[in-house]
Amino acid sequence: MYAAILNQKLVLAVNEAEQVNRGIKKLNQDYYLCPSCRHRMILILSEDKTPFFKHFYQVKGTGEKEEHSQAKILLCTALKANGIQAEVEVSLLDQQLRADVLVENKLSFEVQCAPLSEEEFNHRHQLYKQINIKDIWIVGKRHYLKKKINQSQEIFLRYSPKWQWYYLEIDPFKCLIRLKYNILKAAISSEIQYDVKTFPLDEEGVAELFLFTPVKKIFKVSDIKDQKKYLQKQLVQKSKIGLKIGSLLYQLHYSIDDIPKELFLQLRKPKDASPILTFLQKKLDD
């Protein structure tokens, strides 16, 4: 749609886009309305098409397909408004790979709203490595981080010197990007701690995200009682980690009480082995 209502007047997408490009106004800071249904619309900038308006879906329960589609468009539009060359749905490697949002042929933002196996993730990640394009994954509602992290979420983690281990989430219906950074995991369980910074999914928000440098924070340590209780549960249930630690305890003639208390307090990087497992293995090797 090439026209919308703004302040009770009809405006053209091409004219609004020109004002954004000239810096007269910020992208989608105005509240555009559909001339037909009077629902909110957003302005979409495109390199290969005339600027246009699109309905902005705010209804909860909207499906993953619409979540994925709208997230890509909003992210690409915000990048373009910052003068960055970006395209949506770009085929690469003779159509073996399709980038959700390709940035200057150097970076791909992959917006993941649907389920994704580790095998498929690794396949796509390796294809990007082949063509020297860095893939950054931004996840939808299904994959949002809470108090624990599971294996299906760990594949989306990325590392940078200033953010440490971080995780990006997108909410196109609220027009937000969330950065969860300084992610650390408890000594033995999958419980995590992290900081959160939220950015508007628009021109200014994306620029702020790229420039964001956090203040260093001291995290609280794990709770000994909870970690010991969790370890005991894993031993009883004979989980994967429980079997590993149980075997080491048996070979060393140790009990849980023989494990140094400070190890239960220790936080670790998300993909690091438990300090307890590392300690017991070292004891056995020595």
Side-chain angles (χ1 to χ4, degrees):
M1 191 174 293
Y2 298 106
I5 300 295
L6 176 62
N7 299 327
Q8 299 184 346
K9 294 181 180 179
L10 192 69
V11 296
L12 298 178
V14 64
N15 293 337
E16 294 297 295
E18 183 181 358
Q19 291 188 63
V20 170
N21 291 330
R22 291 170 59 189
I24 297 173
K25 62 167 58 179
K26 298 297 183 181
L27 179 68
N28 288 319
Q29 296 299 303
D30 291 320
Y31 204 93
Y32 301 108
L33 297 177
C34 175
S36 300
C37 65
R38 298 288 168 161
H39 287 162
R40 186 182 175 188
M41 304 193 79
I42 54 173
L43 177 64
I44 304 299
L45 306 182
S46 175
E47 289 182 357
D48 54 354
K49 296 180 182 178
T50 302
F52 63 95
F53 291 105
K54 175 182 171 65
H55 280 87
F56 179 68
Y57 294 93
Q58 294 175 298
V59 181
K60 290 185 178 180
T62 303
E64 288 175 350
K65 185 176 181 180
E66 184 58 45
E67 179 189 22
H68 183 245
S69 175
Q70 188 146 301
K72 289 186 297 184
I73 291 173
L74 287 171
L75 179 59
C76 188
T77 297
L79 290 165
K80 286 175 180 290
N82 277 284
I84 299 171
Q85 182 185 348
E87 297 178 74
V88 175
E89 292 291 331
V90 180
S91 293
L92 302 166
L93 278 175
D94 294 326
Q95 299 188 344
Q96 294 183 66
L97 192 61
R98 183 178 292 273
D100 282 339
V101 181
L102 185 66
V103 179
E104 298 180 351
N105 293 316
K106 296 178 181 178
L107 175 67
S108 173
F109 286 102
E110 290 297 303
V111 180
Q112 192 64 40
C113 300
L116 182 69
S117 69
E118 186 172 0
E119 181 181 14
E120 176 60 21
F121 170 85
N122 288 333
H123 174 67
R124 287 159 63 179
H125 179 61
Q126 290 303 317
L127 289 176
Y128 276 119
K129 286 184 71 173
Q130 285 182 32
I131 53 178
N132 295 316
I133 291 178
K134 184 175 182 179
D135 51 320
I136 299 295
W137 294 73
I138 305 182
V139 302
K141 183 177 179 181
R142 171 186 286 272
H143 302 288
Y144 288 173
L145 274 185
K146 296 181 181 177
K147 293 182 179 180
K148 296 181 180 180
I149 187 168
N150 57 43
Q151 193 171 2
S152 67
Q153 292 171 314
E154 283 193 4
I155 60 177
F156 304 120
L157 286 168
R158 285 292 180 271
Y159 179 84
S160 81
K162 66 177 181 178
W163 295 346
Q164 300 299 299
W165 284 99
Y166 69 92
Y167 197 87
L168 287 169
E169 300 174 349
I170 195 164
D171 187 338
F173 308 126
K174 293 183 179 178
C175 223
L176 297 174
I177 292 180
R178 276 186 299 274
L179 168 66
K180 294 181 175 176
Y181 60 100
N182 286 338
I183 300 172
L184 291 171
K185 192 187 286 188
I188 187 72
S189 74
S190 58
E191 293 176 3
I192 52 175
Q193 295 184 36
Y194 51 80
D195 282 319
V196 183
K197 178 73 174 177
T198 302
F199 305 87
L201 185 48
D202 59 18
E203 175 185 359
E204 291 186 343
V206 168
E208 186 184 354
L209 170 65
F210 290 153
L211 296 173
F212 175 65
T213 301
V215 177
K216 287 188 177 181
K217 178 180 176 181
I218 299 176
F219 286 88
K220 60 182 182 180
V221 296
S222 302
D223 182 276
I224 291 180
K225 184 178 178 181
D226 287 346
Q227 293 303 302
K228 281 191 173 184
K229 185 177 179 181
Y230 180 85
L231 176 53
Q232 185 63 53
K233 183 179 179 181
Q234 301 311 302
L235 293 171
V236 171
Q237 293 182 346
K238 296 183 179 180
S239 66
K240 186 176 180 180
I241 186 69
L243 287 172
K244 284 183 179 179
I245 291 180
S247 174
L248 290 168
L249 289 173
Y250 176 79
Q251 294 177 74
L252 290 165
H253 304 289
Y254 275 19
S255 70
I256 291 179
D257 291 333
D258 293 314
I259 300 172
K261 289 182 179 180
E262 60 267 21
L263 294 181
F264 288 100
L265 295 170
Q266 190 172 323
L267 294 173
R268 55 184 165 132
K269 295 177 181 178
K271 297 190 178 185
D272 284 357
S274 165
I276 294 168
L277 183 63
T278 302
F279 166 77
L280 293 173
Q281 186 64 60
K282 187 174 186 302
K283 279 288 183 183
L284 186 64
D285 292 342
D286 291 344

